[in-house]
Amino acid sequence: MRIFSGSSNKPLAKKIAKNIGLKLCPLEISIFPDGERRIRVEESVLGEDTVVVESTNTPVDTNYMELFLIIDALKRSGAKSVKVLIPYLGYQRQDHVFRDGEAVALEVIAKILENIGATEFFSFDLHTPKIPEIFTIPAHNLSALSIFAEKIKNDFNHDDLVLVSPDMGGIRRIKEVSENLDNLPYATIEKNRDLSTGDINDSQLNGDVRGKVALMVDDIISTGTTLVDGANLLIEQGVTKVFAFATHAILAGKATDNLQHSQIERVFVSDTIDIPKEKHFPKLEVLSVAQVVAKTLKS
Ligand code: R5P
């Protein structure tokens, strides 16, 4: 197996390769003055099984284009298979038509990946479990939730904990973490968004949280509003402390500041997105998914 990495998340790609006992294969990635990328595979991959790692967070379109070119270069160089690991899958929230006249961005991405020769697709904690069905190649939804459950088992006192899904779409996730933790109780927040602006209109809590330590679990932190508002609601409802877990740390806009100055004690995320230095903040802790990928690829 040969592992290649695009530019967006080399630290994770390196860790995955190391966990499998391999090194990343060299790839020439150059950028023209106008921003166009040029890709060249530097070693023979003729007849080889290959893996490409590329997260498609910001700059989303640039990262996608780079990934497409890497896949094309590998196919043209005779690779037998091209497995594509997109730890954070950009455009995944646009997986169906919300309002008449909208494009379904995720379907466009899937079609391109398949048409240029991706043979298998892997990603993490996809926004809805139906996303793999969009693909006609084998598609796998890996998860950071077991890593979060392990952290909770090791670092938190079980007696006073309650898991919280900060929106109704996360119920499946919260149930999975609860099952991993001997059916730890959970509560849910019902969050209503304005479909045209994306703003959160109002939220309400279902479940018993008073006097407990709340652990919110979400898939994505974009602006941080969901978690910050969720924490405020939980404190209002009598929880003693709030911690947050989320797989993908997009950290858009002022998310870093908002989270650092929020009522959340600590924010645990995974390394599906390589967080730039300027977006790190004291409350943030990053847990790696490299072992999960390595185990999957080895099997
Ligand atoms: C929404 O459905 C997702 O599960 C996340 O809750 C959402 O993307 C987080 O966005 P933000 O951090 O901007 O509130």
Side-chain angles (χ1 to χ4, degrees), residues 42 70 181 242:
E42 293 181 90
I70 296 171
L181 293 167
V242 185

Side-chain angles (χ1 to χ4, degrees), residues 93 127 167 173 191 193 200 218-227:
R93 284 170 289 179
H127 192 54
D167 70 21
R173 276 188 290 276
K191 165 183 92 175
R193 277 191 194 272
I200 300 170
D218 207 354
D219 55 343
I220 296 172
I221 305 178
S222 181
T223 62
T225 313
T226 300
L227 292 178

Side-chain angles (χ1 to χ4, degrees), residues 50-255:
T50 62
V51 178
V52 188
V53 182
E54 180 89 283
S55 259
T56 49
N57 52 294
T58 314
V60 185
D61 298 345
T62 302
N63 288 333
Y64 263 119
M65 196 62 206
E66 188 179 274
L67 171 64
F68 298 154
L69 297 181
I70 296 171
I71 296 169
D72 187 63
L74 290 169
K75 289 303 286 185
R76 285 173 194 277
S77 305
K80 185 169 100 193
S81 66
V82 183
K83 295 181 179 179
V84 177
L85 168 68
I86 310 182
Y88 171 71
L89 182 70
Y91 287 111
Q92 63 178 294
R93 284 170 289 179
Q94 295 186 52
D95 62 342
H96 66 273
V97 174
F98 292 87
R99 294 174 306 159
D100 283 354
E102 283 182 346
V104 182
L106 189 60
E107 254 189 57
V108 175
I109 299 294
K111 278 182 193 155
I112 297 175
L113 287 172
E114 290 176 355
N115 283 325
I116 59 178
T119 51
E120 204 164 344
F121 164 84
F122 301 82
S123 187
F124 269 87
D125 289 322
L126 292 166
H127 192 54
T128 68
K130 283 198 158 282
I131 288 177
E133 292 170 22
I134 290 179
F135 291 83
T136 57
I137 54 174
H140 312 273
N141 184 10
L142 310 181
S143 180
L145 295 181
S146 59
I147 292 166
F148 294 159
E150 202 54 37
K151 182 80 186 167
I152 296 168
K153 238 181 234 166
N154 296 334
D155 291 15
F156 290 84
N157 169 13
H158 260 213
D159 297 339
D160 56 355
L161 295 180
V162 61
L163 296 166
V164 179
S165 174
D167 70 21
M168 297 307 279
I171 288 188
R172 179 184 48 85
R173 276 188 290 276
I174 215 75
K175 281 188 178 163
E176 191 179 324
V177 180
S178 166
E179 276 162 24
N180 262 309
L181 293 167
D182 301 326
N183 297 318
L184 200 68
Y186 62 85
T188 54
I189 294 176
E190 215 171 318
K191 165 183 92 175
N192 297 310
R193 277 191 194 272
D194 180 319
L195 282 184
S196 54
T197 61
D199 291 344
I200 300 170
N201 288 333
D202 65 277
S203 306
Q204 70 191 55
L205 180 72
N206 310 310
D208 177 22
V209 298
R210 193 158 291 279
K212 296 192 172 168
V213 172
L215 308 176
M216 284 190 285
V217 182
D218 207 354
D219 55 343
I220 296 172
I221 305 178
S222 181
T223 62
T225 313
T226 300
L227 292 178
V228 172
D229 288 1
N232 292 342
L233 182 66
L234 289 165
I235 297 278
E236 260 172 50
Q237 300 291 319
V239 307
T240 55
K241 277 185 180 164
V242 185
F243 294 83
F245 293 80
T247 306
H248 309 293
I250 297 178
L251 301 176
K254 294 203 169 128

